[in-house]
Amino acid sequence: MAVVLPDRKLTAYVLAHPWERDARGVAVPPPPGARPAPRGTWPGAAAEQADGSWTLRVDPAAWPLEPGDVLGDGVRTWTIGSALLKRVPGYGAADYIAVVATLNPPEVP
């Protein structure tokens, strides 16, 4: 098993979940510029993938994270597309949150 070591501190900006629903019951996200106060800062790692997406690893203390939430390291920010809590049986110190995200704003070649 390989362990990805933290290479930065990640701050979570978590929106209120679940989102409010419209008259038809469809979830309505907050306005694009809405950004709540930071919830906390934890160790993490980030790596850009060949397709331009980013994978991030975040300390499990940041759980729960949901699509639409934002992670930042003081230089860059990412909008979460998916987040999954990964537990390693018998090795709690190796637990992490696997995140797939997009860079804000995306880098243009």
Side-chain angles (χ1 to χ4, degrees), residues 14-85:
V14 178
L15 300 170
H17 292 286
W19 291 338
E20 292 187 23
R21 299 200 173 265
D22 66 12
R24 296 184 184 129
V26 176
V28 178
R35 187 166 166 189
R39 186 173 72 188
T41 301
W42 298 275
E48 186 173 14
Q49 304 303 302
D51 67 357
S53 67
W54 286 74
T55 57
L56 291 89
R57 301 290 183 258
V58 186
D59 188 288
W63 188 255
L65 295 173
E66 300 282 344
D69 292 341
V70 174
L71 292 171
D73 67 359
V75 176
R76 295 179 170 133
T77 61
W78 297 267
T79 298
I80 296 173
S82 67
L84 182 63
L85 180 60

Coordinates of all heavy atoms in Angstrom, one line a residue, residues 14-85:
V14 N -17.5 25.1 3.3 CA -18.6 24.1 3.2 C -19.9 24.9 3.1 O -20.3 25.6 4.0 CB -18.6 23.1 4.3 CG1 -19.8 22.1 4.2 CG2 -17.3 22.3 4.3
L15 N -20.7 24.6 2.0 CA -22.0 25.2 1.8 C -23.0 24.5 2.7 O -22.8 23.3 3.1 CB -22.4 25.1 0.4 CG -21.4 25.9 -0.6 CD1 -21.8 25.6 -2.0 CD2 -21.5 27.4 -0.3
A16 N -24.1 25.1 3.0 CA -25.2 24.4 3.7 C -25.8 23.3 2.9 O -26.1 23.5 1.8 CB -26.3 25.4 4.1
H17 N -25.8 22.1 3.5 CA -26.4 20.9 2.8 C -27.5 20.4 3.7 O -27.3 20.4 4.9 CB -25.3 19.9 2.6 CG -24.3 20.3 1.6 ND1 -24.5 20.3 0.2 CD2 -23.0 20.7 1.7 CE1 -23.4 20.7 -0.4 NE2 -22.5 21.0 0.5
P18 N -28.5 19.8 3.2 CA -28.8 19.8 1.8 C -29.3 21.2 1.4 O -29.8 22.0 2.2 CB -30.0 18.8 1.7 CG -30.6 18.8 3.0 CD -29.5 19.2 4.0
W19 N -29.1 21.5 0.0 CA -29.6 22.7 -0.5 C -31.1 22.9 -0.4 O -31.8 21.9 -0.4 CB -29.1 22.9 -2.0 CG -27.6 23.0 -2.1 CD1 -26.7 23.4 -1.2 CD2 -26.9 22.6 -3.3 NE1 -25.5 23.4 -1.7 CE2 -25.5 22.9 -3.0 CE3 -27.2 22.2 -4.5 CZ2 -24.5 22.7 -3.9 CZ3 -26.1 22.0 -5.4 CH2 -24.8 22.2 -5.1
E20 N -31.5 24.1 -0.4 CA -33.0 24.3 -0.5 C -33.5 23.8 -1.8 O -32.8 23.7 -2.8 CB -33.2 25.8 -0.3 CG -32.9 26.4 1.0 CD -33.3 27.8 1.2 OE1 -34.2 28.3 0.5 OE2 -32.7 28.5 2.0
R21 N -34.8 23.5 -1.8 CA -35.5 23.0 -3.0 C -36.5 24.0 -3.5 O -37.1 24.7 -2.7 CB -36.1 21.6 -2.6 CG -35.1 20.6 -2.1 CD -35.6 19.2 -2.3 NE -34.5 18.3 -2.0 CZ -33.7 17.7 -2.9 NH1 -33.9 18.0 -4.1 NH2 -32.8 16.9 -2.5
D22 N -36.7 23.9 -4.8 CA -37.7 24.8 -5.4 C -39.0 24.2 -5.4 O -39.2 23.1 -4.8 CB -37.3 25.2 -6.9 CG -37.3 24.0 -7.8 OD1 -37.8 22.9 -7.4 OD2 -36.8 24.1 -9.0
A23 N -40.0 24.8 -6.0 CA -41.4 24.3 -5.9 C -41.6 22.9 -6.5 O -42.5 22.2 -6.1 CB -42.4 25.3 -6.6
R24 N -40.7 22.5 -7.3 CA -40.8 21.1 -7.9 C -39.9 20.1 -7.2 O -39.8 19.0 -7.6 CB -40.3 21.2 -9.4 CG -41.2 22.1 -10.3 CD -40.8 22.0 -11.7 NE -41.6 22.9 -12.5 CZ -41.1 23.8 -13.3 NH1 -39.8 23.9 -13.5 NH2 -41.9 24.6 -14.0
G25 N -39.3 20.6 -6.1 CA -38.4 19.6 -5.4 C -37.0 19.5 -5.8 O -36.3 18.7 -5.3
V26 N -36.6 20.3 -6.8 CA -35.2 20.3 -7.3 C -34.3 21.1 -6.4 O -34.6 22.2 -6.0 CB -35.2 20.8 -8.8 CG1 -33.8 20.8 -9.3 CG2 -36.1 20.0 -9.7
A27 N -33.2 20.5 -6.1 CA -32.2 21.2 -5.2 C -31.7 22.4 -5.9 O -31.3 22.3 -7.1 CB -31.0 20.3 -4.9
V28 N -31.7 23.6 -5.3 CA -31.2 24.8 -5.8 C -29.9 25.2 -5.1 O -29.9 25.5 -3.9 CB -32.3 25.9 -5.6 CG1 -31.7 27.2 -6.2 CG2 -33.6 25.5 -6.3
P29 N -28.8 25.2 -5.9 CA -27.5 25.6 -5.2 C -27.5 27.1 -4.9 O -28.2 27.8 -5.5 CB -26.5 25.2 -6.3 CG -27.2 25.2 -7.6 CD -28.6 24.8 -7.3
P30 N -26.6 27.5 -4.0 CA -26.5 28.9 -3.7 C -25.9 29.7 -4.9 O -25.4 29.0 -5.8 CB -25.6 28.9 -2.5 CG -24.9 27.6 -2.4 CD -25.8 26.7 -3.2
P31 N -26.0 31.0 -4.9 CA -25.4 31.7 -6.0 C -23.9 31.4 -6.2 O -23.2 31.1 -5.2 CB -25.6 33.2 -5.6 CG -26.5 33.2 -4.5 CD -26.5 31.8 -3.9
P32 N -23.4 31.5 -7.4 CA -22.0 31.2 -7.7 C -21.0 31.8 -6.8 O -20.0 31.3 -6.4 CB -21.8 31.6 -9.1 CG -23.1 31.6 -9.7 CD -24.1 32.0 -8.6
G33 N -21.2 33.1 -6.4 CA -20.3 33.8 -5.5 C -20.4 33.5 -4.1 O -19.6 34.0 -3.3
A34 N -21.4 32.7 -3.7 CA -21.6 32.4 -2.2 C -20.5 31.6 -1.7 O -20.1 30.6 -2.2 CB -22.9 31.7 -2.0
R35 N -19.8 32.1 -0.6 CA -18.8 31.3 0.0 C -18.8 31.5 1.5 O -18.6 32.6 2.0 CB -17.4 31.8 -0.6 CG -16.3 31.0 -0.1 CD -15.1 31.3 -1.0 NE -13.9 30.7 -0.4 CZ -12.7 31.0 -0.9 NH1 -12.5 31.8 -1.9 NH2 -11.6 30.5 -0.3
P36 N -19.1 30.5 2.2 CA -19.2 30.6 3.7 C -17.9 30.8 4.3 O -16.8 30.6 3.7 CB -19.9 29.3 4.1 CG -19.5 28.3 3.0 CD -19.4 29.1 1.8
A37 N -17.9 31.1 5.6 CA -16.7 31.2 6.3 C -16.0 29.8 6.3 O -16.6 28.8 6.2 CB -17.0 31.6 7.8
P38 N -14.6 29.8 6.5 CA -13.9 28.5 6.5 C -14.4 27.7 7.7 O -14.6 28.2 8.8 CB -12.5 28.9 6.6 CG -12.4 30.3 6.9 CD -13.8 30.9 6.6
R39 N -14.5 26.4 7.4 CA -14.9 25.4 8.5 C -13.7 24.9 9.3 O -13.8 24.5 10.4 CB -15.6 24.2 7.9 CG -16.2 23.3 9.0 CD -17.1 22.3 8.5 NE -16.3 21.3 7.8 CZ -16.8 20.3 7.1 NH1 -18.1 20.2 6.9 NH2 -16.0 19.4 6.5
G40 N -12.5 24.9 8.7 CA -11.3 24.4 9.3 C -10.2 24.2 8.3 O -10.4 24.2 7.1
T41 N -9.0 23.9 8.8 CA -7.8 23.7 8.0 C -7.2 22.4 8.4 O -7.0 22.2 9.6 CB -6.8 24.8 8.1 OG1 -7.5 26.0 7.6 CG2 -5.6 24.6 7.2
W42 N -6.9 21.5 7.4 CA -6.3 20.2 7.7 C -5.2 19.9 6.7 O -5.2 20.4 5.6 CB -7.4 19.1 7.6 CG -8.5 19.3 8.5 CD1 -8.6 18.9 9.8 CD2 -9.8 20.0 8.3 NE1 -9.8 19.2 10.4 CE2 -10.5 19.9 9.5 CE3 -10.4 20.6 7.2 CZ2 -11.8 20.5 9.7 CZ3 -11.6 21.2 7.4 CH2 -12.3 21.1 8.6
P43 N -4.4 18.9 7.1 CA -3.3 18.5 6.1 C -4.0 17.8 4.9 O -5.0 17.2 5.0 CB -2.5 17.4 6.9 CG -3.0 17.5 8.3 CD -4.3 18.2 8.4
G44 N -3.3 18.0 3.8 CA -3.8 17.3 2.5 C -2.8 17.3 1.4 O -1.7 17.8 1.6
A45 N -3.2 16.8 0.3 CA -2.3 16.8 -0.9 C -3.2 17.0 -2.1 O -4.4 16.7 -2.1 CB -1.6 15.4 -1.0
A46 N -2.5 17.6 -3.2 CA -3.3 17.8 -4.4 C -2.4 17.5 -5.6 O -1.2 17.7 -5.5 CB -3.7 19.3 -4.5
A47 N -3.0 16.9 -6.6 CA -2.2 16.5 -7.8 C -3.1 16.7 -9.0 O -4.2 16.3 -9.1 CB -1.8 15.1 -7.8
E48 N -2.5 17.4 -10.1 CA -3.3 17.6 -11.3 C -3.2 16.3 -12.1 O -2.1 15.7 -12.2 CB -2.7 18.8 -12.1 CG -3.5 19.1 -13.3 CD -3.0 20.4 -14.0 OE1 -2.0 20.9 -13.7 OE2 -3.8 20.9 -14.9
Q49 N -4.3 16.0 -12.8 CA -4.3 14.8 -13.6 C -4.2 15.1 -15.1 O -4.3 16.3 -15.4 CB -5.7 14.0 -13.4 CG -5.9 13.7 -11.9 CD -4.8 12.8 -11.3 OE1 -4.5 11.8 -11.8 NE2 -4.2 13.3 -10.3
A50 N -3.9 14.2 -15.9 CA -3.7 14.4 -17.3 C -4.9 15.0 -18.0 O -4.7 15.8 -19.0 CB -3.3 13.1 -18.0
D51 N -6.1 14.8 -17.5 CA -7.3 15.3 -18.2 C -7.6 16.7 -17.7 O -8.7 17.3 -18.0 CB -8.5 14.4 -18.0 CG -8.9 14.3 -16.5 OD1 -8.3 14.9 -15.6 OD2 -9.9 13.5 -16.3
G52 N -6.8 17.3 -16.8 CA -7.0 18.6 -16.3 C -7.8 18.7 -15.0 O -7.9 19.7 -14.3
S53 N -8.3 17.5 -14.5 CA -9.0 17.5 -13.2 C -7.9 17.4 -12.1 O -6.7 17.2 -12.4 CB -10.0 16.3 -13.1 OG -9.2 15.1 -13.2
W54 N -8.3 17.5 -10.9 CA -7.4 17.4 -9.8 C -7.9 16.3 -8.8 O -9.1 16.2 -8.6 CB -7.3 18.7 -9.0 CG -6.6 19.8 -9.8 CD1 -7.0 20.5 -10.9 CD2 -5.3 20.3 -9.5 NE1 -6.0 21.3 -11.3 CE2 -5.0 21.2 -10.4 CE3 -4.4 19.9 -8.5 CZ2 -3.8 21.9 -10.4 CZ3 -3.2 20.6 -8.5 CH2 -2.9 21.6 -9.4
T55 N -7.0 15.6 -8.2 CA -7.3 14.7 -7.2 C -6.7 15.3 -5.9 O -5.5 15.7 -5.9 CB -6.8 13.3 -7.4 OG1 -5.4 13.3 -7.6 CG2 -7.5 12.6 -8.6
L56 N -7.5 15.3 -4.8 CA -7.0 15.8 -3.6 C -7.2 14.7 -2.5 O -8.1 13.9 -2.6 CB -7.7 17.1 -3.2 CG -7.5 18.3 -4.0 CD1 -8.4 18.4 -5.2 CD2 -7.6 19.6 -3.2
R57 N -6.3 14.7 -1.5 CA -6.5 13.9 -0.4 C -6.5 14.8 0.8 O -5.7 15.7 1.0 CB -5.3 12.9 -0.2 CG -5.0 12.0 -1.4 CD -6.1 11.0 -1.5 NE -5.9 10.0 -2.6 CZ -6.5 10.1 -3.7 NH1 -7.4 11.0 -4.0 NH2 -6.3 9.2 -4.7
V58 N -7.6 14.6 1.7 CA -7.8 15.5 2.8 C -7.9 14.6 4.1 O -8.4 13.5 4.0 CB -9.1 16.3 2.6 CG1 -9.3 17.3 3.7 CG2 -9.1 16.9 1.2
D59 N -7.5 15.2 5.2 CA -7.6 14.5 6.5 C -9.1 14.2 6.7 O -9.9 15.0 6.4 CB -7.1 15.5 7.5 CG -7.0 14.8 8.9 OD1 -8.0 14.6 9.5 OD2 -5.8 14.5 9.3
P60 N -9.4 13.0 7.3 CA -10.8 12.6 7.5 C -11.5 13.5 8.5 O -12.7 13.5 8.5 CB -10.7 11.2 8.0 CG -9.3 11.0 8.4 CD -8.4 11.9 7.6
A61 N -10.8 14.3 9.2 CA -11.4 15.3 10.2 C -12.3 16.3 9.4 O -13.2 16.9 10.0 CB -10.4 16.0 11.1
A62 N -12.0 16.5 8.1 CA -12.8 17.5 7.3 C -14.1 16.9 6.9 O -14.9 17.6 6.3 CB -12.0 17.9 6.1
W63 N -14.4 15.6 7.1 CA -15.6 15.0 6.6 C -16.8 15.6 7.4 O -16.7 15.8 8.6 CB -15.5 13.5 6.9 CG -16.7 12.7 6.3 CD1 -17.7 12.2 6.9 CD2 -16.9 12.5 4.9 NE1 -18.6 11.6 6.0 CE2 -18.1 11.7 4.8 CE3 -16.2 12.8 3.7 CZ2 -18.6 11.3 3.5 CZ3 -16.7 12.4 2.5 CH2 -17.8 11.6 2.4
P64 N -17.9 15.8 6.8 CA -18.3 15.5 5.4 C -18.0 16.6 4.5 O -18.1 17.8 4.8 CB -19.8 15.3 5.5 CG -20.3 16.2 6.6 CD -19.1 16.2 7.6
L65 N -17.6 16.3 3.2 CA -17.5 17.2 2.1 C -18.4 16.8 1.0 O -18.6 15.6 0.8 CB -16.0 17.2 1.6 CG -14.9 17.7 2.6 CD1 -13.6 17.4 2.0 CD2 -15.1 19.1 2.9
E66 N -19.0 17.7 0.4 CA -20.0 17.4 -0.7 C -19.7 18.1 -2.0 O -19.0 19.1 -2.0 CB -21.4 17.9 -0.2 CG -21.9 17.3 1.1 CD -22.5 15.9 0.9 OE1 -22.8 15.5 -0.2 OE2 -22.6 15.2 1.9
P67 N -20.2 17.6 -3.1 CA -20.0 18.4 -4.4 C -20.5 19.8 -4.2 O -21.5 20.1 -3.6 CB -20.9 17.6 -5.4 CG -20.9 16.2 -4.8 CD -20.9 16.4 -3.3
G68 N -19.7 20.7 -4.8 CA -20.0 22.1 -4.7 C -19.2 22.8 -3.6 O -19.1 24.1 -3.6
D69 N -18.8 22.1 -2.6 CA -17.9 22.7 -1.5 C -16.6 23.1 -2.1 O -16.2 22.6 -3.2 CB -17.7 21.7 -0.4 CG -19.0 21.4 0.4 OD1 -19.9 22.2 0.3 OD2 -19.0 20.4 1.1
V70 N -15.9 24.0 -1.5 CA -14.6 24.5 -2.0 C -13.5 24.1 -1.0 O -13.6 24.2 0.2 CB -14.7 26.0 -2.2 CG1 -13.3 26.6 -2.6 CG2 -15.7 26.3 -3.3
L71 N -12.3 23.7 -1.5 CA -11.1 23.5 -0.8 C -10.1 24.5 -1.3 O -10.0 24.8 -2.5 CB -10.5 22.1 -0.9 CG -11.4 21.0 -0.3 CD1 -10.8 19.6 -0.8 CD2 -11.4 21.1 1.2
G72 N -9.3 25.1 -0.4 CA -8.3 26.1 -0.7 C -7.0 25.8 0.1 O -7.1 25.4 1.2
D73 N -5.9 26.2 -0.6 CA -4.6 26.0 0.1 C -3.9 27.4 0.3 O -2.7 27.4 0.7 CB -3.7 25.0 -0.6 CG -3.2 25.5 -2.0 OD1 -3.6 26.7 -2.4 OD2 -2.4 24.8 -2.6
G74 N -4.6 28.5 0.1 CA -4.0 29.8 0.3 C -3.5 30.3 -1.0 O -3.2 31.5 -1.2
V75 N -3.3 29.5 -2.0 CA -2.8 29.9 -3.4 C -3.9 29.5 -4.4 O -4.2 30.4 -5.2 CB -1.5 29.2 -3.7 CG1 -1.0 29.5 -5.1 CG2 -0.4 29.5 -2.7
R76 N -4.4 28.3 -4.3 CA -5.4 27.8 -5.3 C -6.6 27.5 -4.5 O -6.6 27.1 -3.3 CB -4.9 26.6 -6.0 CG -3.7 26.9 -6.9 CD -3.3 25.5 -7.5 NE -2.3 25.8 -8.6 CZ -1.2 25.1 -8.7 NH1 -1.0 24.1 -7.9 NH2 -0.4 25.4 -9.7
T77 N -7.8 27.4 -5.3 CA -9.0 26.9 -4.7 C -9.6 25.9 -5.7 O -9.4 26.0 -6.9 CB -10.1 27.9 -4.4 OG1 -10.4 28.6 -5.6 CG2 -9.6 28.9 -3.4
W78 N -10.2 24.9 -5.2 CA -10.8 23.8 -6.0 C -12.3 23.6 -5.6 O -12.6 23.7 -4.4 CB -10.1 22.5 -5.8 CG -8.7 22.4 -6.2 CD1 -8.2 22.0 -7.4 CD2 -7.6 22.7 -5.4 NE1 -6.8 22.1 -7.4 CE2 -6.4 22.5 -6.1 CE3 -7.4 23.2 -4.1 CZ2 -5.1 22.8 -5.7 CZ3 -6.2 23.4 -3.6 CH2 -5.0 23.2 -4.4
T79 N -13.2 23.4 -6.6 CA -14.6 23.1 -6.3 C -14.7 21.6 -6.4 O -14.3 20.9 -7.4 CB -15.5 23.7 -7.4 OG1 -15.4 25.1 -7.2 CG2 -17.0 23.3 -7.1
I80 N -15.3 21.0 -5.4 CA -15.4 19.5 -5.3 C -16.4 19.0 -6.2 O -17.5 19.5 -6.2 CB -15.7 19.1 -3.8 CG1 -14.6 19.5 -2.9 CG2 -16.0 17.6 -3.7 CD1 -14.9 19.3 -1.4
G81 N -16.0 18.0 -7.0 CA -17.0 17.3 -7.8 C -17.5 16.0 -7.1 O -18.7 15.7 -7.3
S82 N -16.6 15.3 -6.4 CA -17.0 14.2 -5.6 C -16.0 14.0 -4.4 O -14.9 14.4 -4.5 CB -17.0 12.9 -6.5 OG -15.7 12.6 -6.9
A83 N -16.5 13.5 -3.4 CA -15.7 13.2 -2.2 C -16.1 11.9 -1.6 O -17.3 11.6 -1.4 CB -15.8 14.4 -1.2
L84 N -15.2 11.1 -1.2 CA -15.4 9.8 -0.6 C -14.5 9.5 0.5 O -13.3 9.6 0.4 CB -15.3 8.7 -1.7 CG -15.6 7.3 -1.3 CD1 -17.0 7.1 -1.0 CD2 -15.2 6.3 -2.5
L85 N -15.1 9.2 1.7 CA -14.3 8.9 2.9 C -13.7 7.5 2.7 O -14.5 6.5 2.6 CB -15.1 9.0 4.1 CG -14.4 8.7 5.4 CD1 -13.3 9.7 5.7 CD2 -15.4 8.8 6.6

